[in-house]
Structure formats: C-alpha cells, structure tokens
Amino acid sequence: KAEHGVKRIIKSWNKPEVESELTQGMFDAMVSLTYNTGITGIKGTIFMKLISEGKFNKAAERLKVTKITTSIKKNGDTIFVPMSGLKNRRLEEYKLFIR
C-alpha cells in the first residue's frame, strides 16, 4: 500500500523531470516514511513538497524532522514532544534517501 501510494503521489505531480531524477534510495525512504505515517500523513508534508520541486538536498534535511513528534496534554494545553524512536527511524530513512 505504501509503495503504491508513493507512486500515485509522484504521478500526481505531473513532473516527469523530477520523477526521472528520483533514485531508488529516495523512493525507498519515501515508502518507509509512508508506511510509518500513512499516505495521507505524508501527502502534505514539506518533505514531499520539496521533492516535488526537485529540491532534493533540502528534502533530505527536512526528512530528519518530518513527523517525529506526538501530541500530549499538559496542564490543559496540547504540546508536541519529539519521540526518540521516530527520530532514529527518520535518520535511517535519511541515510536511504541520500545514498
């Protein structure tokens, strides 16, 4: 599902010049992220926007901080807390992306 979702997102950009520059590592990182966050979870991210614009270096850096927090209630307020497991996962996806 994640792989097909990423393929659909890429096709929806209608940018063959960007699609042709994607490496297998970039695609694998996008699929891994999608598997973890869901298709709707990845679709509107800055990470994917940067890829669609062909800004691969910026996208790689953005991947490290994409969807790494969870929300919790504290004193009646919602705060976002980084999760170390997700930070580690994004680092591994970053390594895939840049290879």
Side-chain angles (χ1 to χ4, degrees):
K1 288 183 179 183
E3 182 178 345
H4 292 296
V6 170
K7 286 179 180 178
R8 284 193 313 270
I9 292 169
I10 293 168
K11 290 287 183 200
S12 75
W13 296 336
N14 197 27
K15 295 182 180 179
E17 69 282 2
V18 171
E19 186 176 351
S20 68
E21 290 185 48
L22 292 174
T23 66
Q24 186 65 50
M26 290 174 180
F27 181 77
D28 292 346
M30 288 187 283
V31 170
S32 177
L33 179 62
T34 302
Y35 179 81
N36 184 238
T37 65
I39 296 165
T40 56
I42 191 176
K43 209 174 201 178
T45 62
I46 294 170
F47 168 68
M48 291 299 278
K49 182 181 184 303
L50 289 168
I51 294 171
S52 75
E53 294 171 352
K55 298 176 181 175
F56 302 122
N57 291 333
K58 288 183 180 184
E61 291 303 314
R62 185 64 193 190
L63 176 57
K64 294 178 190 177
V65 296
T66 299
K67 304 278 185 175
I68 61 168
T69 61
T70 189
S71 62
I72 61 170
K73 293 282 188 183
K74 186 172 184 179
N75 300 327
D77 294 326
T78 301
I79 60 172
F80 294 91
V81 179
M83 297 182 66
S84 61
L86 291 177
K87 286 176 75 171
N88 293 338
R89 182 183 181 110
R90 296 301 169 260
L91 184 57
E92 292 303 313
E93 290 163 344
Y94 167 81
K95 291 175 185 177
L96 274 174
F97 191 87
I98 62 170
R99 68 175 178 162

